[in-house]
Amino acid sequence: MTSILTYTFKNLPSTSKWALRFSVRPLSCSSQLRATPAAQTKSKKTLAKPNIRNVVVVDGVRTPFLLSGTSYKDLMPHDVARAALLGLLHRTSVPKEVVDYIVFGTVIQEVKTSNVAREAALGAGFSDKTPAHTVTMACISANQAMTTVNSYRRCSCTYDLCPVGVGLIASGQCDVVVAGGVELMSDVPIRHSRKMRKMLLDLNKAKTLGQRLSLLSKFRLNFLSPELPAVAEFSTSETMGHSADRLAAAFAVSRTEQDEYALRSHSLAKKAQDEGLLSDVVPFKVPGKDTVTKDNGIRPSSLEQMAKLKPAFIKPYGTVTAANSSFLTDGASAMLIMAEEKALAMGYKPKAYLRDFVYVSQDPKDQLLLGPTYATPKVLEKAGLTLNDVDAFEFHEAFSGQILANFKAMDSDWFAQNYMGRKTKVGLPPLEKFNTWGGSLSLGHPFGATGCRLVMAAANRLRKEGGQYGLVAACAAGGQGHAMIVEAYPK
């Protein structure tokens, strides 16, 4: 392993400054596959703020998350988002007319439905008087949709107040909001080349036959080359998988460790699916096809089979493969979020409070996927909590190497002192509390929808296990990150 890592470092386009400072420490995951006993309800302080409205999650749902190119491949994003909204309406029986606002996150916009939140809402039967808007922040787009509802505290950006505004519920503008997200990777917009687009626009403006013929005479066959959506970071021209490979090497995360973690994710997801714990999933009758009832990317394999796969990005010595990466996914999620007094007045028993949250940004070259490391201590400090107070961790799993690199960064005094301006390390989340019902590696990752899945997983785990605080965290393209505290609603 040492020789491979050494060779990899020599051949990386940009070796990070902290490379080789982290020892290779095996992370055994097999012992964590057993079910964690239900914890006793703990007596801790609540995170309610004086004179601030409590924002609660009544419930949340998602369509089954499916591998792209499968049952949703003939749909449009608003079709899947509409299914999530209808599932939420059926689950909660909330009258459509009481919903004040709808916010959805998405990443790769379908050009015909640029405001997918509005189109999905109309398709689901919401009033045309109900406003809806769409937000995008890469893999934390749904997180941004949720916090648009709940952003009332000063954030860590350079503005006095968070630029998404003072919030819809906490500020008193709204009482009932639906937040969600959607992604359909089965059908991404593919454009003509820029030269072809320019010619077509000029042809549309041409007034005479002579002008049109003159423009057409400039046509060349290479104008027909299609332009695909970018899979690389705009600022670095590097794919996220490539960054994950370099990050794993920089933190000395071995291929075996990554495969072990991926196997853990799939095994725990399969166990949760079989035991009916993934209760946020709602059936979706796909037009012209059968009803889809469960995620189809959960595929526990074996370390022997996983070891046969070739590196996907840095070849031939990279460690990131298809088996230890999240896959292209179609799916949507939706959550009913209310002011606590409104929820109680309508007879609902909420599942959780949405509490403190932060957004962070760092170097998109060498620290693209370290958002959880930077966001976790900030949100804990805002809430007045420590890692020991957290009962359920739900982190987005973009790659096994990304999760394990974050673990090593969080567990390093050197990294904290040299890159985070902290005297001591953040601390290591205990695996027995970490993504125990699977994660994005196994359940799937529709870019715009994952944030709501993370929050609902935390809320549902807290209710089942008797915990009080959940910590949701995620990385995102552009070197961004998010973390939020979810507090269980008293039973």
Side-chain angles (χ1 to χ4, degrees):
M1 181 168 61
T2 302
S3 61
I4 292 177
L5 282 173
T6 302
Y7 187 94
T8 304
F9 275 115
K10 289 180 179 178
N11 288 274
L12 291 179
S14 174
T15 303
S16 54
K17 301 178 182 65
W18 57 84
L20 297 176
R21 290 182 179 265
F22 299 88
S23 61
V24 179
R25 180 166 55 87
L27 179 68
S28 176
C29 300
S30 58
S31 62
Q32 304 300 334
L33 300 183
R34 295 186 296 272
T36 303
Q40 295 295 318
T41 302
K42 301 176 182 178
S43 178
K44 300 177 183 175
K45 65 177 182 179
T46 179
L47 297 183
K49 307 291 183 184
N51 303 316
I52 295 292
R53 301 178 95 192
N54 284 325
V55 178
V56 296
V57 176
V58 172
D59 212 337
V61 303
R62 61 184 177 90
T63 68
F65 286 179
L66 303 186
L67 292 154
S68 65
T70 56
S71 294
Y72 299 160
K73 65 180 181 180
D74 296 324
L75 303 180
M76 291 178 67
H78 76 284
D79 295 320
V80 189
R82 179 179 65 236
L85 288 173
L86 291 173
L88 184 67
L89 291 171
H90 183 264
R91 173 73 62 86
T92 63
S93 299
V94 63
K96 298 186 188 76
E97 61 271 14
V98 307
V99 175
D100 299 311
Y101 209 99
I102 297 171
V103 192
F104 256 63
T106 197
V107 178
I108 300 181
Q109 296 270 5
E110 163 59 54
V111 294
K112 292 183 178 179
T113 56
S114 58
N115 186 0
V116 69
R118 175 65 168 170
E119 302 305 330
L122 293 174
F126 284 89
S127 167
D128 57 9
K129 302 296 190 293
T130 304
H133 81 269
T134 302
V135 297
T136 185
M137 200 174 183
C139 300
I140 51 177
S141 295
N143 308 70
Q144 188 60 261
M146 285 182 287
T147 57
T148 297
V149 177
N150 189 29
S151 56
Y152 55 85
R153 300 170 176 85
R154 295 177 188 273
C155 81
S156 55
C157 58
T158 56
Y159 298 91
D160 185 47
L161 289 173
C162 188
V164 298
V166 295
L168 299 175
I169 290 180
S171 66
Q173 295 185 56
C174 299
D175 290 323
V176 183
V177 172
V178 172
V182 63
E183 212 69 46
L184 190 76
M185 297 304 296
S186 289
D187 182 26
V188 297
I190 299 174
R191 304 194 298 181
H192 281 296
S193 68
R194 191 180 188 94
K195 291 179 179 179
M196 190 67 183
R197 298 198 307 270
K198 186 177 184 301
M199 172 172 282
L200 291 173
L201 291 171
D202 289 343
L203 280 170
N204 191 52
K205 296 175 183 177
K207 296 181 179 180
T208 66
L209 178 61
Q211 289 174 335
R212 294 188 183 96
L213 291 174
S214 176
L215 287 169
L216 289 172
S217 68
K218 300 175 182 178
F219 173 78
R220 299 293 182 269
L221 283 177
N222 64 2
F223 285 18
L224 297 177
S225 299
E227 191 174 282
L228 300 174
V231 295
E233 293 288 312
F234 183 81
S235 60
T236 66
S237 299
E238 185 174 79
T239 67
M240 188 172 285
H242 196 271
S243 293
D245 225 330
R246 289 197 303 104
L247 189 69
F251 281 91
V253 179
S254 71
R255 166 74 178 270
T256 299
E257 286 179 299
Q258 293 176 61
D259 287 350
E260 282 181 348
Y261 183 85
L263 180 57
R264 173 189 188 266
S265 182
H266 281 273
S267 299
L268 290 174
K270 183 66 167 65
K271 186 175 186 295
Q273 188 179 68
D274 291 346
E275 294 179 358
L277 299 178
L278 306 180
S279 57
D280 56 333
V281 178
V282 292
F284 177 17
K285 175 63 175 72
V286 181
K289 298 182 180 179
D290 294 334
T291 298
V292 180
T293 60
K294 62 182 182 180
D295 308 318
N296 71 357
I298 303 174
R299 298 178 180 179
S301 182
S302 68
L303 291 176
E304 292 73 24
Q305 288 296 113
M306 296 167 76
K308 295 178 181 179
L309 295 182
K310 295 181 178 180
F313 300 99
I314 296 181
K315 303 174 182 180
Y317 295 111
T319 57
V320 175
T321 71
N324 56 42
S325 308
S326 59
F327 48 87
L328 296 180
T329 314
D330 300 333
S333 57
M335 293 168 51
L336 179 60
I337 304 175
M338 292 186 177
E340 182 182 21
E341 66 271 20
K342 180 69 172 181
L344 297 179
M346 293 184 66
Y348 287 112
K349 184 63 178 292
K351 286 195 170 182
Y353 296 102
L354 296 182
R355 297 302 195 189
D356 292 272
F357 64 90
V358 297
Y359 288 92
V360 297
S361 294
Q362 54 278 339
D363 171 24
K365 182 70 174 178
D366 284 336
Q367 303 187 50
L368 177 71
L369 303 172
L370 291 179
T373 297
Y374 284 87
T376 293
K378 288 188 175 183
V379 78
L380 289 173
E381 288 166 1
K382 285 186 72 174
L385 300 176
T386 69
L387 277 180
N388 291 332
D389 294 315
V390 178
D391 303 295
F393 294 85
E394 284 292 330
F395 281 27
H396 165 47
E397 301 170 345
F399 304 88
S400 289
Q402 161 254 331
I403 286 289
L404 299 180
N406 273 275
F407 280 0
K408 293 195 176 188
M410 294 171 75
D411 201 31
S412 167
D413 285 321
W414 183 89
F415 187 85
Q417 293 161 6
N418 286 273
Y419 284 92
M420 301 179 68
R422 302 178 61 84
K423 293 181 180 179
T424 59
K425 62 188 179 183
V426 177
L428 188 63
L431 271 181
E432 64 269 16
K433 297 181 180 180
F434 191 88
N435 289 14
T436 56
W437 292 357
S440 301
L441 289 169
S442 49
L443 300 172
H445 174 40
F447 302 148
T450 288
C452 289
R453 180 194 67 75
L454 293 170
V455 168
M456 288 314 304
N460 289 331
R461 283 180 55 198
L462 291 174
R463 286 178 65 86
K464 181 171 179 58
E465 298 165 6
Q468 184 170 356
Y469 297 126
L471 172 59
V472 169
C475 60
Q480 302 183 108
H482 169 76
M484 175 190 282
I485 299 295
V486 178
E487 182 179 351
Y489 200 83
K491 291 185 178 180

